[in-house]
């Protein structure tokens, strides 16, 4: 068929003959088509490829060409508008809204766009994470006898004992029986909040404080009541008044390297926090998230509040996640008295238990020679990064007041000049290629001044920190967010 030897002509003929074949039935072989239409094998191959691209034919190497299954009509788009009513409907006697605002948590977990320097994160940069040690620990854990069996609901005994030693210190004031293994610190915080306060109740929080805790409290139906923090931790004179005025029975605090300020609770205030809470008949949730993030050369760390509390006032929360990897979600709750049973019950109902292989891997990691090496490496690197960031701010952005050099943790808390639009500045910084955290989400009520939180752990290194400060300066100078443009 010399007049029909083009690819398009042959594809048209074959397209018209497809109705002769059932779905899935094999078409004539390429050799048969070559002989029938007097065309080259290349023409046949290209014609079949045309039909395959149209979804009419399926070609299988070595088997031939087959008629494709008929296309089904696209499904009708569903109508989910009814959910707006169902999710908002109430009986009129609910104490709190049913909606959950996770925006601040999502913002902290989101990876910045490519090319953007991350000064907004809450985890170690991958270069600082002990990936090889984690991989080796996971491999050893998977080969442990019984590693894939169901773990005890409270957690693997050896891991509970390790956390008890870490929390109780040399005096051994925390027993392994008082420790529950959790799926990271956020899960532990949520469990503690739900256990200690009913929906609609007030809960005292530091101001500023960790936005993820505020989100967890509000999602549990609690009303955060702020208590101001200064360079020595929470203002205990205001804490006592806040208990009296609010009737709260829970106070959440971070005594060590507080997020975002980096403050360490002073010795006299440590004693006062326990005394005031005990007098109010209230619990203290001690979020000890940063104990392993101490910087090289820092003064000796104070003990945990839990280790100095024989009366069961303190519910202690800690985790390995910040110090290792976002995916090693292993933490602990420690408590004394009847509250431990309630914590355990809530955790079992919510999650059953933490997967045993993950617990075994954590146990392998903390018992390996890599663990103390990792602690030394992180301590030295965090100190170096903190100093580079503070030096860069002093040189490039003296208008950002960052007088306090935290001896641990990831963050520097900087106060902006009065009248600065911190949200506009953060947006301008992102356009300039550096991600920072505006201060507003760290407050449960109106903030006293504009702030930025700058993280020095998520950048690739000190050179990237220096460049990040330079980009932040360009954003500050090039936007109308500053006080002159307010």
């Amino acid at each position: 068929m010399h007049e029909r030897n083009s690819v398009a002509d042959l594809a048209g003929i074959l397209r018209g003959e497809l109705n002769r074949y059932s779905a899935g039935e094999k078409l004539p072989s390429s050799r048969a088509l070559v002989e029938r239409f007097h065309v080259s094998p290349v023409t046949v191959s290209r014609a079949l490829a045309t039909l395959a691209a149209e979804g009419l034919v399926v070609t299988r190497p070595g088997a031939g060409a087959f008629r494709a299954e008929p296309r089904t009509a696209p499904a009708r788009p569903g109508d989910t508008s009814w959910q707006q009513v169902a999710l908002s409907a109430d009986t009129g006697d609910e104490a709190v809204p049913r909606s959950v605002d996770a925006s601040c948590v999502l913002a902290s977990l989101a990876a910045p766009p490519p090319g953007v320097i991350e000064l907004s994160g809450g985890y170690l940069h991958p270069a600082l994470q002990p990936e090889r040690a984690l991989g080796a620990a996971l491999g050893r854990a998977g080969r442990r006898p019984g590693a894939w069996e169901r773990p005890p609901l409270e957690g693997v005994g050896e891991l509970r004992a390790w956390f008890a030693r870490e929390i109780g210190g040399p005096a051994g004031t925390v027993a392994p029986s008082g420790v529950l293994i959790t799926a990271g610190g956020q899960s532990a915080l949520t469990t503690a909040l739900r256990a200690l306060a009913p929906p609609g109740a007030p809960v005292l929080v530091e101001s500023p404080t960790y936005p993820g805790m505020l989100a967890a409290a509000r999602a549990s139906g609690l009303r955060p009541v702020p208590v101001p923090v200064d360079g020595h931790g929470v203002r205990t004179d205001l804490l006592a008044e806040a208990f009296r005025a609010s009737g709260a029975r829970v106070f959440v605090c971070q005594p060590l390297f507080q997020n975002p300020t980096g403050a360490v609770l002073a010795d006299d205030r440590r004693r006062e926090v326990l005394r005031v809470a005990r007098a109010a008949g209230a619990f203290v949730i001690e979020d000890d998230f940063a104990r392993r993030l101490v910087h090289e050369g820092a003064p000796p760390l104070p003990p945990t509040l839990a280790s100095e509390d024989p009366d069961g006032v303190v519910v202690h929360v800690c985790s390995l996640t910040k110090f290792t990897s976002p995916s090693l979600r292993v933490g602990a709750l420690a408590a004394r008295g009847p509250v431990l049973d309630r914590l355990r019950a809530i955790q079992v109902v919510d999650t059953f238990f933490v997967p045993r292989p993950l617990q075994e891997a954590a146990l392998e990691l903390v018992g390996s020679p890599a663990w103390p090496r990792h602690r030394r490496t992180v301590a030295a690197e965090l100190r170096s990064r903190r100093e580079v960031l503070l030096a860069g701010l002093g040189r490039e952005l003296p208008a950002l007041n960052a007088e306090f050099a935290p001896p641990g943790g990831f963050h520097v808390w900087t106060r902006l000049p009065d009248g600065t639009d911190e949200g506009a500045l953060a947006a301008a910084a992102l356009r300039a290629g550096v991600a920072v955290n505006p201060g507003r989400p760290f407050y449960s009520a109106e903030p006293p001044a504009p702030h930025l939180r700058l993280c020095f752990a998520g950048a690739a290194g000190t050179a990237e920190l220096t460049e990040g400060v330079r980009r932040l300066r360009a954003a500050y100078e090039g936007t109308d967010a500053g006080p002159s443009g307010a």
Side-chain angles (χ1 to χ4, degrees):
M1 50 166 266
H2 298 290
E3 70 278 8
R4 296 176 176 173
N5 61 358
S6 71
V7 171
D9 286 345
L10 179 58
I13 294 173
L14 296 178
R15 190 182 297 111
E17 294 182 351
L18 281 178
N19 288 334
R20 300 179 184 178
Y21 305 94
S22 303
E25 185 178 350
K26 186 177 180 180
L27 275 62
S29 67
S30 295
R31 176 178 291 181
L33 294 175
V34 166
E35 293 177 353
R36 175 184 171 191
F37 294 106
H38 305 287
V39 294
S40 71
V42 172
T43 299
V44 170
S45 176
R46 290 177 178 175
L48 291 174
T50 299
L51 298 183
E54 295 173 1
L56 301 176
V57 166
V58 175
T59 58
R60 299 171 189 164
F66 302 80
R67 183 178 176 182
E69 297 290 336
R71 295 178 179 177
T72 58
R76 179 184 64 84
D79 180 7
T80 61
S81 57
W82 65 271
Q83 294 185 3
Q84 298 179 49
V85 177
L87 290 172
S88 302
D90 58 49
T91 61
D93 57 0
E94 273 101 348
V96 294
R98 296 174 62 191
S99 61
V100 177
D101 182 5
S103 56
C104 63
V105 178
L106 293 172
S108 68
L109 294 176
V116 173
I117 295 174
E118 185 176 13
L119 301 187
S120 59
Y123 297 106
L124 294 172
H125 187 273
L128 293 179
Q129 296 172 21
E131 290 186 353
R132 293 182 62 182
L134 281 167
L138 191 60
R140 293 193 300 271
R143 296 189 295 272
R144 281 189 172 200
W148 295 92
E149 295 177 3
R150 183 179 63 193
L153 297 180
E154 297 86 356
V156 172
E158 296 93 328
L159 188 58
R160 296 171 72 197
W162 182 86
F163 273 113
R165 292 191 297 272
E166 290 281 300
I167 299 166
T173 56
V174 173
S177 59
V179 174
L180 302 175
I181 302 303
T182 68
Q186 186 72 14
S187 174
L189 275 174
T190 301
T191 297
L193 288 165
R194 288 181 57 200
L196 301 179
V203 56
L204 303 186
V205 300
E206 295 173 315
S207 183
T209 191
Y210 164 51
M213 185 276 297
L214 294 177
R218 290 173 176 138
S220 298
L222 306 179
R223 296 186 289 108
V225 177
V227 184
V229 169
D230 62 20
H232 301 286
V234 66
R235 291 272 304 276
T236 48
D237 56 330
L238 299 177
L239 178 65
E241 176 58 30
F243 273 122
R244 284 192 295 270
S246 68
R249 293 294 179 264
V250 179
F251 170 50
V252 187
C253 66
Q254 296 176 327
L256 191 63
F257 312 140
Q258 197 259 358
N259 179 11
T261 67
V264 177
L265 188 61
D267 287 344
D268 59 333
R269 296 190 186 185
R270 290 167 55 85
R271 294 186 292 271
E272 189 67 1
V273 164
L274 295 178
R275 186 196 69 77
V276 168
R278 184 70 182 88
F283 288 97
V284 174
I285 299 177
E286 178 186 22
D287 182 7
D288 197 32
F289 77 102
R291 183 162 295 270
R292 296 168 192 87
L293 302 176
V294 61
H295 299 175
E296 185 181 66
L301 298 182
T304 64
L305 294 181
S307 69
E308 299 179 330
D309 164 45
D311 299 325
V313 171
V314 178
V315 173
H316 183 92
V317 172
C318 61
S319 171
L320 297 178
T321 305
K322 293 289 187 185
F323 184 63
T324 55
S325 162
S327 290
L328 186 65
R329 305 211 62 77
V330 175
L333 276 166
R336 292 183 175 90
V339 71
L340 186 64
D341 289 336
R342 183 176 294 185
L343 292 165
R344 177 180 180 272
I346 290 176
Q347 176 165 299
V348 168
V349 168
D350 282 353
T351 61
F352 287 4
F353 47 78
V354 177
R356 183 161 193 153
L358 202 57
Q359 294 189 56
E360 298 283 3
L363 195 57
E364 286 282 352
L365 178 66
V366 300
S368 72
W371 185 251
R373 290 198 301 268
H374 179 58
R375 297 187 78 146
R376 291 192 296 270
T377 299
V378 170
E381 186 68 22
L382 290 181
R383 176 184 177 178
S384 173
R385 288 165 173 249
R386 179 200 71 200
E387 292 177 348
V388 167
L389 178 61
L390 289 172
L393 291 173
R395 182 176 61 254
E396 304 279 359
L397 280 166
L400 273 65
N401 185 351
E403 295 179 352
F404 181 57
F410 288 169
H411 312 111
V412 169
W413 184 238
T414 65
R415 175 166 176 165
L416 298 166
D418 290 342
T420 303
D421 185 336
E422 61 180 36
L425 177 56
L430 189 61
R431 292 193 297 271
V434 57
V436 298
N437 295 117
R440 180 64 185 89
F442 294 85
Y443 289 93
S444 61
E446 293 79 6
H451 291 82
L452 290 182
R453 191 194 72 168
L454 305 178
C455 173
F456 47 82
T462 53
E464 194 166 270
L465 286 172
T466 299
E467 174 61 16
V469 173
R470 188 196 67 77
R471 295 182 186 183
L472 181 58
R473 183 196 67 189
Y476 184 79
E477 293 176 348
T479 181
D480 59 0
S484 62

